[in-house]
Amino acid sequence: MELKIKQRISLSAYFFLSGICFATWASRIPTIKIFYNLNEAELGNLLFIMPISSLIGLPFSGWLVSKFNSRNPLIVSFIFYSLALLFIGYSNNILFLSASLFLFSFSMRIINIAINTQSIALQNIFPKKIIGSFHGLWSLGGLIGVGFSTLMVKFDVTMKHHLLIIAIFSLTIALISYQFLMKSDKPTTGNKLIIGKPDTFILLLGILVFLAAVCEGGMFDWSGVYFKEVIKEDVFTLGYFIFMFFMAFSRFVSDKIIDVIGMKKAYVISATFISSGISMVIIFPYFWPAIIGFSLVGIGVAAIIPMTYALAGKSKKYSAGLIVSIITTYGIVGMLLGPPLVGYLAHLFNLKTAFVLFLISGLLIIPISQLFFNTQKDAMK
């Protein structure tokens, strides 16, 4: 088998496993909420831990991508990622749970930077777009993760045993795949962050990732709670499953669609799907409208982050690893403000009202994306 094909398969495994682990955690948020008897604001406080730990990891991750090939930070961080998931399942007090979430999120930041750095490097040696397929595999992993979680919930399997199974499975596959990862992607230039006037190219892409992270992260954290408390569905992972299914499907076909219609139109169409889906969920808080609405949101968010990372890879100022680290920080801020803010708004008003935050974020993607393409024509050549 050709070397670049082996590298693509191995990297695909890491995207897939990362999606499984994250979806496993997110699908169990309602279980944690009940176990610790948390209200929406208290859950929001707990969710704050993850983006804060990721921000703390910013200087560390920036140093890693400038000093090493991405494969070594990837395997080390994935080991801790799997262990942290296990610790979440075995937590029996809020302090230990908080520490486990901190480690989980810190490791996930390093993983995200490493796998996206490798995806940009691999894209450069493939004639056709492949970045969307990597993110599609992340979503497929998430889909399988939440599907498995649904079975665990339905058959009353404890969260402890559920997370143990996923941690062992993920770590085993990650160790096997490690040997085939790209070995020589350490950048030689563009490794130093330049402090000064904000770069418009990076700023606009960062805002797009921020808005997408508010929507995507919010759906990860709150779709299960919405289905349980607003839709009154006992199998509360169903909404999350539907969202992940349509996001995964859309990411697998997004590369071909974007080749036909172009990224500029793709951002507008994606934002329209997000806003339409959220509007339906808010206005008609019933089972089938919610299923359709969550489906539309999944389709809408699918292409935004892969497209934005692909555009970021065209930067003439920074290496792939460093610009991924910078852009990812905007996404983390979206995670920082989005899901916890939904918790606070839901506590003050109700969860339906809080979902307006996702509607506004989705709509803002349209003017920001068009501004980017209108002002960065030279950078796109």
Side-chain angles (χ1 to χ4, degrees):
M1 186 184 296
E2 194 175 356
L3 177 60
K4 68 178 183 179
I5 300 300
K6 291 181 180 179
Q7 293 171 335
R8 182 178 180 181
I9 292 172
S10 299
L11 184 59
S12 295
Y14 276 88
F15 271 94
F16 179 75
L17 295 172
S18 179
I20 285 181
C21 291
F22 185 82
T24 299
W25 137 251
S27 63
R28 281 296 192 168
I29 289 175
T31 305
I32 291 171
K33 184 174 185 290
I34 293 171
F35 183 82
Y36 289 99
N37 194 27
L38 304 174
N39 60 36
E40 283 79 3
E42 290 169 335
L43 180 58
N45 288 334
L46 183 66
L47 296 177
F48 250 127
I49 294 170
M50 296 182 69
I52 288 173
S53 68
S54 292
L55 286 175
I56 291 172
L58 171 61
F60 183 67
S61 59
W63 176 77
L64 282 175
V65 297
S66 65
K67 294 293 182 182
F68 301 99
N69 294 320
S70 59
R71 68 194 294 261
N72 292 329
L74 177 53
I75 186 60
V76 173
S77 58
F78 206 94
I79 290 171
F80 283 105
Y81 189 56
S82 301
L83 290 174
L85 184 65
L86 180 64
F87 295 158
I88 291 170
Y90 278 79
S91 298
N92 54 15
N93 61 72
I94 201 72
L95 181 61
F96 187 62
L97 174 63
S98 299
S100 301
L101 287 176
F102 185 96
L103 179 61
F104 185 75
S105 182
F106 189 93
S107 303
M108 183 169 62
R109 176 179 176 82
I110 308 301
I111 290 170
N112 285 343
I113 292 172
I115 59 177
N116 282 294
T117 298
Q118 285 230 348
S119 73
I120 292 173
L122 271 176
Q123 177 65 84
N124 292 333
I125 60 176
F126 278 84
K128 295 183 178 180
K129 287 187 175 67
I130 61 172
I131 288 182
S133 67
F134 287 128
H135 289 267
L137 284 164
W138 188 95
S139 299
L140 179 61
L143 179 65
I144 292 175
V146 72
F148 188 69
S149 296
T150 302
L151 291 176
M152 297 294 98
V153 170
K154 188 173 182 61
F155 292 102
D156 294 321
V157 176
T158 65
M159 186 171 69
K160 179 189 299 185
H161 293 114
H162 173 198
L163 270 58
L164 173 64
I165 293 169
I166 297 300
I168 293 174
F169 169 79
S170 299
L171 187 55
T172 301
I173 301 301
L175 291 171
I176 293 172
S177 301
Y178 166 73
Q179 60 184 314
F180 300 111
L181 289 172
M182 181 178 283
K183 298 178 181 179
S184 303
D185 63 343
K186 179 183 175 181
T188 56
T189 60
N191 289 323
K192 292 184 178 180
L193 183 64
I194 302 172
I195 305 299
K197 183 180 178 181
D199 186 301
T200 305
F201 179 88
I202 295 174
L203 178 62
L204 292 175
L205 290 180
I207 294 172
L208 287 171
V209 169
F210 168 83
L211 295 171
V214 169
C215 297
E216 190 172 327
M219 295 301 289
F220 291 151
D221 289 357
W222 286 102
S223 58
V225 179
Y226 195 92
F227 251 67
K228 184 174 182 62
E229 299 185 0
V230 178
I231 308 301
K232 308 297 183 184
E233 175 62 37
D234 290 335
V235 184
F236 54 80
T237 55
L238 185 59
Y240 188 17
F241 181 83
I242 291 295
F243 166 74
M244 290 297 295
F245 175 84
F246 280 92
M247 185 168 69
F249 172 78
S250 298
R251 280 181 167 168
F252 280 117
V253 301
S254 64
D255 285 335
K256 293 182 180 178
I257 294 174
I258 292 167
D259 280 337
V260 175
I261 66 175
M263 288 188 180
K264 188 174 182 179
K265 290 182 180 178
Y267 276 106
V268 175
I269 294 171
S270 296
T272 302
F273 273 107
I274 292 171
S275 55
S276 299
I278 292 295
S279 297
M280 182 174 292
V281 169
I282 295 171
I283 297 171
F284 304 105
Y286 310 107
F287 182 81
W288 284 112
I291 289 291
I292 296 171
F294 278 43
S295 302
L296 293 175
V297 177
I299 294 170
V301 301
I304 295 174
I305 288 181
M307 280 194 297
T308 308
Y309 276 128
L311 289 171
K314 297 178 181 291
S315 174
K316 299 172 183 177
K317 187 174 183 179
Y318 293 118
S319 66
L322 190 54
I323 195 165
V324 165
S325 180
I326 296 169
I327 297 297
T328 299
T329 301
Y330 283 87
I332 290 168
V333 175
M335 293 284 189
L336 175 67
L337 295 178
L341 185 55
V342 169
Y344 300 142
L345 290 173
H347 187 65
L348 288 173
F349 304 103
N350 57 62
L351 197 53
K352 283 197 301 178
T353 302
F355 264 45
V356 172
L357 178 66
F358 305 143
L359 174 61
I360 295 171
S361 298
L363 289 173
L364 284 174
I365 289 171
I366 296 176
I368 298 300
S369 64
Q370 302 313 290
L371 178 62
F372 173 83
F373 287 104
N374 291 337
T375 59
Q376 302 297 316
K377 293 178 181 179
D378 292 339
M380 294 297 97
K381 293 179 181 179

